């Protein structure tokens, strides 16, 4: 799947021959809500993201790549802020936090390289 489109919910639904009412029923949402989720005029809920993974076997990074990237950007920004705040500390527990924050930032960087 290309990661340039905002959502693959519609694509996966069509791939498996599901109508909007079929998938809406599986997801426990209305047809109009499904339409908004498919075109990302409504942000997917945690329940919808997990349900899509259960139904199609694809996680949020694959089904909702634009949404995933938006959240990833926010988390990485927060991780960088915390890292800057803590980087002058020498306490071993703080050093472990810094290592973890660095992993978050690097993981996101690797994701961008693989796109």
């Amino acid at each position: 799947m290309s990661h340039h489109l905002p959502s693959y919910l519609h694509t996966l639904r069509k791939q498996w021959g599901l109508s909007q009412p079929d998938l809406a029923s599986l997801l426990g949402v209305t047809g109009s809500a499904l339409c908004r989720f498919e075109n990302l005029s409504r942000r997917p809920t945690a329940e919808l993201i997990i349900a899509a993974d259960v139904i199609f076997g694809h996680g949020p990074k694959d089904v909702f790549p634009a949404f995933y990237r938006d959240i990833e950007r926010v988390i990485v920004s927060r991780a960088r802020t915390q890292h800057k705040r803590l980087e002058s500390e020498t306490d071993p527990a703080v050093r472990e936090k810094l290592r973890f924050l660095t992993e978050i930032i690097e993981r996101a960087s690797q994701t961008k390289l693989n796109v």
Side-chain angles (χ1 to χ4, degrees), residues 44-100:
T45 63
E47 184 175 339
L48 181 87
I49 291 168
I50 294 168
D53 188 4
V54 169
I55 293 166
F56 298 114
H58 294 283
K61 191 185 293 189
D62 295 326
V63 180
F64 302 101
F67 181 63
Y68 185 93
R69 281 191 307 272
D70 289 347
I71 292 172
E72 182 180 59
R73 278 188 211 108
V74 170
I75 298 300
V76 168
S77 175
R78 291 174 185 163
R80 284 188 175 122
T81 299
Q82 284 189 23
H83 193 282
K84 285 178 186 173
R85 183 175 51 81
L86 297 172
E87 64 190 353
S88 63
E89 300 288 328
T90 58
D91 178 83
V94 173
R95 301 311 300 171
E96 187 64 18
K97 286 180 193 177
L98 285 167
R99 187 182 67 75
F100 181 64

Side-chain angles (χ1 to χ4, degrees), residues 24-44:
S25 175
L26 286 171
L27 293 170
V29 299
T30 65
S32 60
L34 176 58
C35 182
R36 290 191 298 275
F37 287 129
E38 284 185 344
N39 66 29
L40 282 184
S41 63
R42 182 173 175 188
R43 294 173 68 99

